[in-house]
Coordinates of all heavy atoms in Angstrom, one line a residue:
M1 N 0.8 -1.2 0.0 CA 0.0 0.0 0.0 C 0.9 1.2 0.0 O 0.6 2.2 -0.7 CB -0.9 -0.1 1.2 CG -2.0 0.9 1.2 SD -3.2 0.5 -0.1 CE -4.5 1.6 0.3
S2 N 1.9 1.2 0.8 CA 2.8 2.4 0.8 C 3.5 2.6 -0.5 O 3.7 3.8 -0.9 CB 3.8 2.2 1.9 OG 4.7 1.2 1.7
N3 N 3.7 1.6 -1.3 CA 4.3 1.7 -2.6 C 3.3 2.5 -3.5 O 3.7 3.3 -4.3 CB 4.6 0.4 -3.2 CG 5.9 -0.2 -2.7 OD1 6.6 0.6 -2.1 ND2 6.1 -1.5 -2.9
F4 N 2.0 2.2 -3.4 CA 1.0 2.9 -4.2 C 0.9 4.4 -3.8 O 0.8 5.2 -4.7 CB -0.4 2.3 -4.0 CG -0.6 1.1 -4.8 CD1 -0.8 -0.2 -4.3 CD2 -0.6 1.2 -6.2 CE1 -1.0 -1.3 -5.1 CE2 -0.8 0.1 -7.0 CZ -1.0 -1.2 -6.4
S5 N 1.0 4.7 -2.6 CA 0.9 6.1 -2.2 C 2.2 6.9 -2.6 O 2.1 8.1 -2.9 CB 0.7 6.3 -0.7 OG 1.8 5.8 0.0
A6 N 3.3 6.2 -2.7 CA 4.6 6.8 -3.1 C 4.6 7.0 -4.6 O 5.2 8.0 -5.1 CB 5.8 6.0 -2.7
F7 N 3.9 6.2 -5.4 CA 4.0 6.2 -6.8 C 3.6 7.5 -7.4 O 4.3 8.1 -8.3 CB 3.1 5.1 -7.4 CG 3.2 5.0 -8.9 CD1 4.3 4.6 -9.6 CD2 2.0 5.4 -9.6 CE1 4.3 4.6 -11.0 CE2 2.1 5.4 -11.0 CZ 3.2 5.0 -11.7
P8 N 2.4 8.1 -7.0 CA 2.0 9.4 -7.7 C 3.0 10.5 -7.5 O 3.3 11.2 -8.4 CB 0.7 9.7 -7.0 CG 0.1 8.4 -6.5 CD 1.4 7.6 -6.1
S9 N 3.6 10.6 -6.3 CA 4.6 11.7 -6.1 C 5.9 11.4 -6.9 O 6.5 12.3 -7.4 CB 4.9 11.9 -4.6 OG 5.6 10.8 -4.1
N10 N 6.3 10.1 -7.0 CA 7.4 9.8 -7.8 C 7.1 10.1 -9.3 O 8.0 10.6 -10.0 CB 7.8 8.3 -7.7 CG 8.5 8.0 -6.3 OD1 9.0 9.0 -5.7 ND2 8.6 6.8 -6.0
R11 N 5.9 9.7 -9.7 CA 5.5 10.0 -11.0 C 5.5 11.5 -11.3 O 5.9 12.0 -12.4 CB 4.1 9.4 -11.3 CG 3.7 9.5 -12.7 CD 2.4 8.8 -13.0 NE 2.1 9.0 -14.4 CZ 0.9 8.8 -14.8 NH1 0.0 8.2 -14.1 NH2 0.6 9.0 -16.1
R12 N 5.0 12.3 -10.4 CA 4.9 13.7 -10.5 C 6.3 14.3 -10.6 O 6.6 15.1 -11.5 CB 4.2 14.3 -9.3 CG 3.4 15.5 -9.6 CD 2.6 16.0 -8.4 NE 1.6 15.0 -8.0 CZ 1.4 14.7 -6.7 NH1 2.1 15.2 -5.8 NH2 0.5 13.8 -6.4
A13 N 7.2 13.8 -9.8 CA 8.6 14.2 -9.8 C 9.3 13.9 -11.1 O 9.9 14.7 -11.7 CB 9.4 13.6 -8.6
F14 N 9.0 12.7 -11.6 CA 9.5 12.3 -12.9 C 9.0 13.2 -14.0 O 9.8 13.6 -14.9 CB 9.1 10.8 -13.2 CG 9.5 10.4 -14.6 CD1 10.8 10.1 -14.9 CD2 8.5 10.3 -15.6 CE1 11.1 9.7 -16.2 CE2 8.8 10.0 -16.9 CZ 10.2 9.7 -17.2
M15 N 7.7 13.4 -14.0 CA 7.1 14.3 -15.0 C 7.7 15.7 -15.0 O 8.0 16.3 -16.1 CB 5.6 14.3 -14.9 CG 4.9 13.0 -15.2 SD 5.2 12.4 -16.9 CE 4.3 13.6 -17.8
M16 N 7.9 16.2 -13.8 CA 8.5 17.5 -13.7 C 9.9 17.5 -14.2 O 10.3 18.5 -15.0 CB 8.5 18.0 -12.2 CG 7.1 18.3 -11.7 SD 6.3 19.6 -12.6 CE 7.3 21.0 -12.1
Q17 N 10.7 16.5 -14.0 CA 12.0 16.4 -14.5 C 12.0 16.3 -16.0 O 12.8 16.9 -16.7 CB 12.8 15.2 -13.9 CG 13.1 15.4 -12.4 CD 13.7 14.2 -11.7 OE1 13.6 13.1 -12.3 NE2 14.2 14.3 -10.5
A18 N 11.1 15.5 -16.5 CA 11.0 15.3 -18.0 C 10.6 16.6 -18.6 O 11.2 17.0 -19.7 CB 9.9 14.2 -18.3
V19 N 9.7 17.4 -18.0 CA 9.3 18.7 -18.6 C 10.5 19.6 -18.6 O 10.8 20.3 -19.5 CB 8.1 19.2 -17.9 CG1 7.8 20.7 -18.3 CG2 6.8 18.4 -18.2
T20 N 11.2 19.6 -17.4 CA 12.3 20.5 -17.3 C 13.4 20.2 -18.3 O 13.9 21.1 -19.0 CB 12.9 20.4 -15.9 OG1 11.9 20.8 -15.0 CG2 14.1 21.4 -15.7
A21 N 13.7 18.9 -18.5 CA 14.7 18.4 -19.4 C 14.3 18.8 -20.8 O 15.1 19.3 -21.6 CB 14.9 16.9 -19.3
A22 N 13.0 18.6 -21.2 CA 12.5 18.9 -22.5 C 12.6 20.4 -22.8 O 13.0 20.8 -23.9 CB 11.1 18.5 -22.7
S23 N 12.3 21.2 -21.8 CA 12.4 22.7 -21.9 C 13.9 23.1 -22.2 O 14.2 23.9 -23.0 CB 11.9 23.4 -20.7 OG 10.6 23.1 -20.5
A24 N 14.8 22.5 -21.4 CA 16.2 22.8 -21.6 C 16.7 22.4 -23.0 O 17.4 23.2 -23.6 CB 17.0 22.0 -20.5
V25 N 16.3 21.3 -23.5 CA 16.7 20.9 -24.8 C 16.1 21.9 -25.9 O 16.8 22.3 -26.8 CB 16.1 19.4 -25.2 CG1 16.3 19.1 -26.6 CG2 16.9 18.4 -24.3
M26 N 14.9 22.3 -25.7 CA 14.3 23.3 -26.6 C 15.0 24.6 -26.6 O 15.3 25.2 -27.6 CB 12.8 23.5 -26.3 CG 11.9 22.4 -26.7 SD 10.2 22.6 -26.1 CE 9.7 24.0 -26.9
V27 N 15.4 25.1 -25.4 CA 16.1 26.3 -25.3 C 17.5 26.2 -26.0 O 17.9 27.1 -26.7 CB 16.3 26.7 -23.8 CG1 17.3 27.8 -23.7 CG2 15.0 27.1 -23.2
V28 N 18.2 25.1 -25.7 CA 19.5 24.9 -26.4 C 19.4 24.8 -27.9 O 20.1 25.5 -28.6 CB 20.2 23.6 -25.8 CG1 21.4 23.2 -26.6 CG2 20.6 23.8 -24.4
S29 N 18.4 24.1 -28.4 CA 18.3 23.9 -29.8 C 17.8 25.2 -30.5 O 18.3 25.6 -31.5 CB 17.3 22.8 -30.2 OG 16.0 23.1 -29.7
E30 N 17.0 26.0 -29.8 CA 16.6 27.3 -30.4 C 17.8 28.3 -30.4 O 18.0 29.0 -31.3 CB 15.5 27.9 -29.5 CG 14.1 27.4 -29.9 CD 13.0 28.0 -29.0 OE1 13.2 29.1 -28.5 OE2 12.0 27.3 -28.9
A31 N 18.6 28.2 -29.3 CA 19.8 29.1 -29.2 C 20.7 28.8 -30.4 O 21.2 29.7 -31.0 CB 20.4 29.0 -27.9
S32 N 21.0 27.5 -30.6 CA 21.9 27.1 -31.6 C 21.3 27.4 -33.0 O 22.0 27.8 -33.9 CB 22.4 25.7 -31.5 OG 21.3 24.8 -31.6
A33 N 20.0 27.2 -33.2 CA 19.4 27.5 -34.4 C 19.5 29.0 -34.8 O 19.5 29.4 -35.9 CB 18.0 27.0 -34.4
Q34 N 19.5 29.8 -33.7 CA 19.5 31.3 -34.0 C 20.8 31.9 -34.0 O 20.9 33.1 -34.3 CB 18.6 31.9 -32.9 CG 17.1 31.5 -33.1 CD 16.2 32.0 -31.9 OE1 16.8 32.5 -30.9 NE2 15.0 31.9 -32.1
A35 N 21.9 31.1 -33.6 CA 23.2 31.7 -33.6 C 23.6 32.2 -35.0 O 23.5 31.4 -36.0 CB 24.2 30.7 -33.1
M36 N 24.0 33.4 -35.1 CA 24.4 33.9 -36.4 C 25.9 33.8 -36.6 O 26.7 33.8 -35.6 CB 24.1 35.4 -36.4 CG 22.6 35.8 -36.3 SD 21.6 35.1 -37.7 CE 22.2 36.1 -39.1
V37 N 26.3 33.6 -37.8 CA 27.7 33.5 -38.2 C 28.3 34.9 -37.9 O 27.8 35.9 -38.3 CB 27.9 33.1 -39.7 CG1 29.4 33.2 -40.1 CG2 27.4 31.7 -39.9
D38 N 29.5 34.9 -37.3 CA 30.2 36.1 -37.0 C 31.3 36.3 -38.1 O 32.0 35.3 -38.3 CB 30.9 36.0 -35.6 CG 31.5 37.3 -35.1 OD1 32.1 38.0 -36.0 OD2 31.4 37.6 -34.0
E39 N 31.4 37.4 -38.6 CA 32.4 37.7 -39.7 C 33.8 37.4 -39.2 O 34.7 37.0 -39.9 CB 32.4 39.2 -40.1 CG 31.2 39.6 -40.9 CD 31.2 41.1 -41.2 OE1 32.2 41.8 -40.9 OE2 30.3 41.5 -41.8
K40 N 34.0 37.4 -37.8 CA 35.4 37.2 -37.3 C 35.7 35.8 -37.0 O 36.8 35.4 -36.7 CB 35.5 38.0 -36.0 CG 35.5 39.5 -36.3 CD 35.6 40.3 -35.0 CE 35.4 41.8 -35.2 NZ 34.1 42.3 -34.7
D41 N 34.6 34.9 -37.1 CA 34.9 33.5 -37.0 C 35.9 33.1 -38.0 O 35.9 33.6 -39.1 CB 33.6 32.6 -37.2 CG 32.6 32.7 -36.1 OD1 33.0 33.3 -35.0 OD2 31.5 32.3 -36.3
A42 N 36.8 32.2 -37.6 CA 37.9 31.8 -38.5 C 37.4 31.3 -39.9 O 38.0 31.8 -40.9 CB 38.8 30.7 -37.9
Q43 N 36.4 30.5 -39.9 CA 35.9 30.0 -41.2 C 35.3 31.1 -42.0 O 35.5 31.2 -43.2 CB 34.9 28.8 -40.9 CG 34.5 28.2 -42.2 CD 33.6 27.0 -42.0 OE1 33.3 26.6 -40.9 NE2 33.0 26.5 -43.1
A44 N 34.5 31.9 -41.3 CA 33.9 33.1 -42.0 C 34.9 34.0 -42.6 O 34.8 34.4 -43.7 CB 32.9 33.8 -41.0
A45 N 35.9 34.3 -41.8 CA 36.9 35.3 -42.3 C 37.7 34.7 -43.5 O 38.0 35.3 -44.4 CB 37.9 35.6 -41.1
G46 N 37.9 33.4 -43.4 CA 38.6 32.7 -44.5 C 37.8 32.7 -45.8 O 38.4 32.7 -46.9
L47 N 36.5 32.7 -45.7 CA 35.6 32.8 -46.8 C 35.3 34.2 -47.2 O 34.5 34.4 -48.2 CB 34.4 31.9 -46.6 CG 34.6 30.4 -46.6 CD1 33.3 29.7 -46.0 CD2 34.9 29.9 -47.9
G48 N 35.8 35.2 -46.5 CA 35.5 36.6 -46.8 C 34.0 36.9 -46.5 O 33.4 37.8 -47.1
Y49 N 33.4 36.2 -45.6 CA 32.0 36.4 -45.2 C 31.8 37.8 -44.7 O 32.5 38.3 -43.8 CB 31.5 35.4 -44.2 CG 30.1 35.5 -43.7 CD1 29.1 35.0 -44.4 CD2 29.8 36.2 -42.5 CE1 27.8 35.1 -44.0 CE2 28.5 36.4 -42.1 CZ 27.5 35.8 -42.8 OH 26.2 35.9 -42.4
K50 N 30.8 38.5 -45.3 CA 30.4 39.8 -44.9 C 28.9 39.8 -44.6 O 28.1 39.3 -45.5 CB 30.7 40.9 -45.9 CG 32.1 41.3 -46.0 CD 32.5 42.2 -44.9 CE 33.9 42.6 -44.9 NZ 34.3 43.3 -43.7
V51 N 28.5 40.2 -43.4 CA 27.1 40.3 -43.1 C 26.3 41.1 -44.0 O 25.2 40.9 -44.4 CB 26.9 40.8 -41.6 CG1 25.4 41.0 -41.3 CG2 27.5 39.8 -40.6
D52 N 26.9 42.2 -44.5 CA 26.3 43.2 -45.4 C 27.1 43.0 -46.8 O 28.2 43.5 -46.9 CB 26.4 44.6 -44.9 CG 25.8 45.6 -45.8 OD1 25.4 45.3 -47.0 OD2 25.7 46.8 -45.4
A53 N 26.5 42.4 -47.7 CA 27.2 42.1 -49.0 C 27.7 43.4 -49.7 O 28.6 43.3 -50.5 CB 26.2 41.3 -49.9
T54 N 27.0 44.5 -49.4 CA 27.4 45.7 -50.1 C 28.8 46.2 -49.6 O 29.4 47.1 -50.1 CB 26.4 46.9 -49.9 OG1 26.3 47.2 -48.5 CG2 25.0 46.5 -50.4
K55 N 29.3 45.6 -48.5 CA 30.6 46.0 -47.9 C 31.7 45.0 -48.3 O 32.8 45.1 -47.8 CB 30.4 46.0 -46.3 CG 29.3 46.9 -45.8 CD 29.9 48.1 -45.1 CE 28.9 49.2 -44.9 NZ 27.8 48.9 -44.0
V56 N 31.4 44.1 -49.2 CA 32.5 43.2 -49.7 C 33.6 44.0 -50.4 O 33.3 44.9 -51.1 CB 31.9 42.2 -50.7 CG1 33.0 41.4 -51.3 CG2 30.9 41.3 -50.0
D57 N 34.8 43.6 -50.0 CA 36.0 44.2 -50.6 C 36.1 43.7 -52.1 O 36.6 42.6 -52.3 CB 37.2 43.9 -49.8 CG 38.5 44.5 -50.4 OD1 38.5 45.0 -51.5 OD2 39.5 44.5 -49.6
K58 N 35.7 44.5 -53.0 CA 35.6 44.1 -54.4 C 37.0 43.9 -55.0 O 37.2 43.1 -56.0 CB 34.8 45.0 -55.2 CG 33.3 45.0 -54.8 CD 32.6 46.3 -55.3 CE 31.2 46.4 -54.7 NZ 31.2 46.9 -53.3
A59 N 38.0 44.6 -54.5 CA 39.4 44.4 -55.0 C 39.9 43.0 -54.5 O 40.6 42.3 -55.3 CB 40.3 45.5 -54.4
K60 N 39.6 42.6 -53.3 CA 40.0 41.3 -52.8 C 39.2 40.2 -53.3 O 39.7 39.1 -53.5 CB 39.9 41.4 -51.2 CG 40.6 40.2 -50.6 CD 40.6 40.4 -49.1 CE 41.3 39.3 -48.3 NZ 41.3 39.4 -46.9
Y61 N 37.9 40.4 -53.6 CA 37.0 39.4 -54.1 C 36.4 39.9 -55.5 O 35.2 40.3 -55.5 CB 35.9 39.1 -53.1 CG 36.5 38.5 -51.8 CD1 36.6 39.3 -50.7 CD2 37.0 37.2 -51.7 CE1 37.1 38.8 -49.5 CE2 37.5 36.7 -50.6 CZ 37.6 37.5 -49.4 OH 38.1 37.1 -48.3
P62 N 37.2 39.8 -56.5 CA 36.7 40.3 -57.8 C 35.6 39.5 -58.4 O 34.9 40.0 -59.3 CB 38.0 40.2 -58.7 CG 38.9 39.3 -58.1 CD 38.6 39.3 -56.6
T63 N 35.3 38.3 -57.9 CA 34.2 37.5 -58.4 C 32.8 38.0 -57.8 O 31.8 37.6 -58.3 CB 34.3 36.0 -57.9 OG1 34.4 35.9 -56.5 CG2 35.5 35.4 -58.6
F64 N 32.9 38.9 -56.8 CA 31.7 39.5 -56.3 C 31.0 40.3 -57.3 O 31.6 41.1 -58.0 CB 31.9 40.3 -55.0 CG 30.7 41.0 -54.5 CD1 29.8 40.4 -53.8 CD2 30.5 42.4 -54.8 CE1 28.6 41.0 -53.3 CE2 29.3 43.0 -54.4 CZ 28.4 42.3 -53.6
A65 N 29.7 40.1 -57.5 CA 28.9 40.8 -58.4 C 27.8 41.6 -57.6 O 27.2 41.0 -56.7 CB 28.2 39.9 -59.4
A66 N 27.6 42.8 -57.9 CA 26.5 43.6 -57.2 C 25.2 42.8 -57.2 O 24.8 42.3 -58.3 CB 26.4 45.0 -57.9
G67 N 24.6 42.8 -56.1 CA 23.3 42.1 -56.0 C 23.4 40.7 -55.5 O 22.4 40.1 -55.1
A68 N 24.6 40.2 -55.5 CA 24.8 38.8 -55.0 C 24.8 38.8 -53.5 O 25.4 39.6 -52.9 CB 26.2 38.3 -55.5
N69 N 24.0 37.9 -53.0 CA 24.0 37.7 -51.5 C 23.4 36.4 -51.2 O 23.0 35.6 -52.1 CB 23.2 38.9 -50.8 CG 21.8 39.0 -51.3 OD1 21.1 38.0 -51.5 ND2 21.3 40.2 -51.4
C70 N 23.4 36.0 -49.9 CA 23.0 34.7 -49.5 C 21.6 34.3 -50.0 O 21.4 33.2 -50.4 CB 23.1 34.6 -48.0 SG 24.7 34.6 -47.3
S71 N 20.7 35.3 -50.0 CA 19.3 35.0 -50.4 C 19.2 34.5 -51.8 O 18.2 33.8 -52.2 CB 18.4 36.2 -50.2 OG 18.6 37.2 -51.1
N72 N 20.2 34.8 -52.7 CA 20.1 34.3 -54.1 C 21.3 33.4 -54.4 O 21.7 33.2 -55.5 CB 20.0 35.4 -55.1 CG 21.1 36.5 -55.0 OD1 22.2 36.2 -54.7 ND2 20.7 37.8 -55.1
C73 N 21.8 32.8 -53.3 CA 22.9 31.8 -53.5 C 22.3 30.4 -53.5 O 21.3 30.1 -52.7 CB 23.9 31.9 -52.3 SG 25.1 30.6 -52.3
A74 N 22.8 29.5 -54.3 CA 22.3 28.1 -54.4 C 22.4 27.4 -53.1 O 21.7 26.4 -52.8 CB 23.0 27.4 -55.5
L75 N 23.4 27.8 -52.2 CA 23.6 27.0 -51.0 C 22.7 27.5 -49.8 O 22.6 26.9 -48.8 CB 25.1 27.1 -50.5 CG 26.1 26.5 -51.5 CD1 27.5 26.8 -51.0 CD2 25.8 25.1 -51.7
Y76 N 22.1 28.6 -50.0 CA 21.2 29.2 -49.0 C 20.0 28.4 -48.7 O 19.3 27.9 -49.6 CB 20.8 30.6 -49.4 CG 20.0 31.4 -48.3 CD1 20.6 31.7 -47.1 CD2 18.7 31.8 -48.6 CE1 19.9 32.5 -46.2 CE2 18.0 32.6 -47.6 CZ 18.6 32.9 -46.4 OH 18.0 33.6 -45.5
Q77 N 19.7 28.1 -47.4 CA 18.6 27.2 -47.0 C 17.5 28.0 -46.3 O 16.5 27.4 -45.9 CB 19.2 26.2 -46.0 CG 20.2 25.3 -46.7 CD 20.9 24.4 -45.7 OE1 21.0 24.7 -44.5 NE2 21.4 23.2 -46.2
G78 N 17.6 29.3 -46.3 CA 16.5 30.1 -45.6 C 15.3 30.2 -46.5 O 15.4 30.0 -47.8
K79 N 14.2 30.5 -45.9 CA 12.9 30.6 -46.7 C 12.9 31.9 -47.4 O 13.6 32.9 -47.0 CB 11.7 30.5 -45.8 CG 11.5 29.2 -45.2 CD 10.3 29.1 -44.2 CE 10.2 27.7 -43.6 NZ 9.5 27.7 -42.4
A80 N 12.3 32.0 -48.6 CA 12.2 33.3 -49.3 C 11.6 34.4 -48.4 O 10.6 34.2 -47.7 CB 11.3 33.1 -50.5
G81 N 12.3 35.5 -48.3 CA 11.8 36.6 -47.5 C 12.3 36.6 -46.1 O 12.2 37.6 -45.4
A82 N 12.9 35.5 -45.7 CA 13.4 35.4 -44.3 C 14.7 36.2 -44.2 O 15.5 36.4 -45.1 CB 13.8 33.9 -43.9
A83 N 14.9 36.8 -43.0 CA 16.1 37.6 -42.7 C 17.4 36.8 -42.6 O 18.5 37.3 -42.9 CB 15.9 38.4 -41.5
S84 N 17.3 35.5 -42.3 CA 18.4 34.7 -42.2 C 18.0 33.2 -42.5 O 16.9 32.9 -42.5 CB 19.0 34.8 -40.8 OG 18.1 34.4 -39.8
G85 N 19.1 32.4 -42.7 CA 18.8 31.0 -42.9 C 20.1 30.2 -42.8 O 21.2 30.8 -42.6
G86 N 20.0 28.9 -43.0 CA 21.1 28.1 -42.9 C 22.0 28.1 -44.1 O 21.5 28.5 -45.2
C87 N 23.2 27.6 -44.0 CA 24.1 27.4 -45.1 C 25.0 26.2 -44.7 O 25.5 26.2 -43.6 CB 25.0 28.7 -45.3 SG 26.3 28.4 -46.4
P88 N 25.1 25.3 -45.6 CA 25.9 24.1 -45.2 C 27.4 24.4 -44.9 O 28.0 23.5 -44.3 CB 25.8 23.2 -46.5 CG 25.2 24.1 -47.6 CD 24.5 25.2 -46.9
L89 N 27.9 25.5 -45.3 CA 29.3 25.8 -45.0 C 29.4 26.2 -43.5 O 30.5 26.3 -43.0 CB 29.8 27.0 -45.8 CG 29.8 26.7 -47.3 CD1 30.4 27.9 -48.1 CD2 30.5 25.4 -47.6
F90 N 28.3 26.6 -42.9 CA 28.3 27.1 -41.5 C 27.2 26.3 -40.7 O 26.2 26.8 -40.3 CB 28.0 28.6 -41.4 CG 29.0 29.4 -42.1 CD1 28.7 29.9 -43.4 CD2 30.3 29.7 -41.6 CE1 29.6 30.7 -44.1 CE2 31.2 30.4 -42.3 CZ 30.9 31.0 -43.5
A91 N 27.5 25.0 -40.6 CA 26.5 24.1 -39.9 C 26.2 24.6 -38.5 O 27.1 25.0 -37.8 CB 27.1 22.7 -39.9
G92 N 24.9 24.5 -38.2 CA 24.4 24.9 -36.9 C 24.3 26.4 -36.6 O 24.0 26.8 -35.5
K93 N 24.6 27.2 -37.7 CA 24.5 28.7 -37.5 C 23.6 29.2 -38.7 O 23.3 28.5 -39.6 CB 25.9 29.3 -37.5 CG 26.7 28.9 -36.3 CD 27.9 29.8 -36.1 CE 28.5 29.5 -34.8 NZ 29.7 30.3 -34.5
Q94 N 23.3 30.5 -38.6 CA 22.5 31.1 -39.6 C 23.4 32.2 -40.3 O 24.2 32.8 -39.6 CB 21.3 31.8 -38.9 CG 20.4 30.9 -38.1 CD 19.2 30.6 -38.9 OE1 18.4 31.4 -39.3 NE2 18.9 29.3 -39.1
V95 N 23.1 32.4 -41.5 CA 23.8 33.5 -42.3 C 22.7 34.5 -42.6 O 21.5 34.1 -42.7 CB 24.4 33.0 -43.6 CG1 25.6 32.0 -43.2 CG2 23.5 32.3 -44.5
S96 N 23.1 35.7 -42.7 CA 22.1 36.8 -43.0 C 21.7 36.6 -44.5 O 22.6 36.3 -45.3 CB 22.7 38.1 -42.7 OG 21.9 39.1 -43.3
A97 N 20.5 36.9 -44.8 CA 20.0 36.8 -46.2 C 20.8 37.8 -47.0 O 21.0 37.7 -48.2 CB 18.5 37.1 -46.3
K98 N 21.3 38.9 -46.4 CA 22.0 40.0 -47.1 C 23.5 39.8 -47.1 O 24.2 40.7 -47.5 CB 21.6 41.3 -46.5 CG 20.1 41.6 -46.7 CD 19.7 43.0 -46.0 CE 18.3 43.2 -46.3 NZ 17.8 44.4 -45.6
A99 N 23.9 38.7 -46.6 CA 25.4 38.5 -46.5 C 25.9 37.9 -47.8 O 25.2 37.7 -48.7 CB 25.7 37.5 -45.3
W100 N 27.2 37.7 -47.8 CA 27.9 37.1 -49.0 C 29.2 36.5 -48.5 O 29.8 36.9 -47.5 CB 28.2 38.2 -50.0 CG 28.9 37.7 -51.2 CD1 28.3 37.3 -52.4 CD2 30.3 37.6 -51.5 NE1 29.2 36.9 -53.3 CE2 30.5 37.1 -52.8 CE3 31.5 37.9 -50.8 CZ2 31.7 36.9 -53.4 CZ3 32.7 37.6 -51.3 CH2 32.8 37.1 -52.6
C101 N 29.6 35.4 -49.2 CA 31.0 34.9 -49.0 C 31.5 34.4 -50.3 O 30.8 34.3 -51.3 CB 30.9 33.7 -47.9 SG 30.6 32.1 -48.6
S102 N 32.8 34.1 -50.3 CA 33.5 33.8 -51.6 C 33.0 32.4 -52.2 O 33.4 32.1 -53.3 CB 35.0 33.8 -51.4 OG 35.4 32.9 -50.4
A103 N 32.3 31.7 -51.4 CA 31.8 30.4 -52.0 C 30.4 30.6 -52.7 O 29.8 29.6 -53.1 CB 31.6 29.4 -50.9
Y104 N 30.0 31.8 -52.8 CA 28.7 32.1 -53.4 C 28.6 31.5 -54.8 O 29.5 31.4 -55.6 CB 28.6 33.7 -53.6 CG 27.4 34.1 -54.4 CD1 26.2 34.3 -53.8 CD2 27.4 34.3 -55.8 CE1 25.0 34.6 -54.5 CE2 26.3 34.7 -56.5 CZ 25.1 34.9 -55.8 OH 24.0 35.2 -56.6
A105 N 27.4 30.9 -55.0 CA 27.1 30.2 -56.3 C 25.7 30.7 -56.6 O 24.7 30.4 -55.9 CB 27.1 28.7 -56.2
K106 N 25.5 31.4 -57.7 CA 24.2 32.0 -58.1 C 23.2 30.9 -58.2 O 23.4 29.8 -58.9 CB 24.4 32.7 -59.4 CG 23.1 33.5 -59.7 CD 23.3 34.4 -60.9 CE 22.0 35.0 -61.2 NZ 21.8 36.3 -61.6
K107 N 22.0 31.1 -57.6 CA 20.9 30.2 -57.7 C 20.4 30.1 -59.1 O 20.3 31.1 -59.8 CB 19.8 30.7 -56.7 CG 18.8 29.6 -56.3 CD 17.7 30.2 -55.4 CE 18.2 30.3 -54.0 NZ 17.1 30.8 -53.1
A108 N 20.2 28.9 -59.6 CA 19.8 28.7 -61.0 C 18.3 29.2 -61.2 O 17.6 29.3 -60.3 CB 19.9 27.3 -61.4
Ligands
SF4_1 FE1 25.9 32.9 -48.2 FE2 26.1 31.2 -50.2 FE3 28.3 31.9 -48.8 FE4 26.5 30.3 -47.7 S1 27.8 29.9 -49.5 S2 27.5 32.1 -46.7 S3 24.6 31.1 -48.6 S4 27.0 33.3 -50.1

């Protein structure tokens, strides 16, 4: 009988822990999904990533064409009209739709 009376409180404690753990996972996954690529990150710097494509050093990156940015790059994974989206070159982070990097490939 005492086992029965203990069960509901153990179950309640378990459910509270499960909810807390699920919330923590959601917070972590949202945070990583929203992390933006920083121009100063080693990989970003190596690719000449600029958050604002209009600021690309055209002398250093002569392949840059006016109007080119992540939103019209074949690698961009963001939805049309979204301010940012994923890019396979920066797994787990978001690139700005208005950004550019030297791996840019015009969307067909
Ligand atoms: Fe943007 Fe394309 Fe470079 Fe990815 S590969 S950062 S989508 S320009």
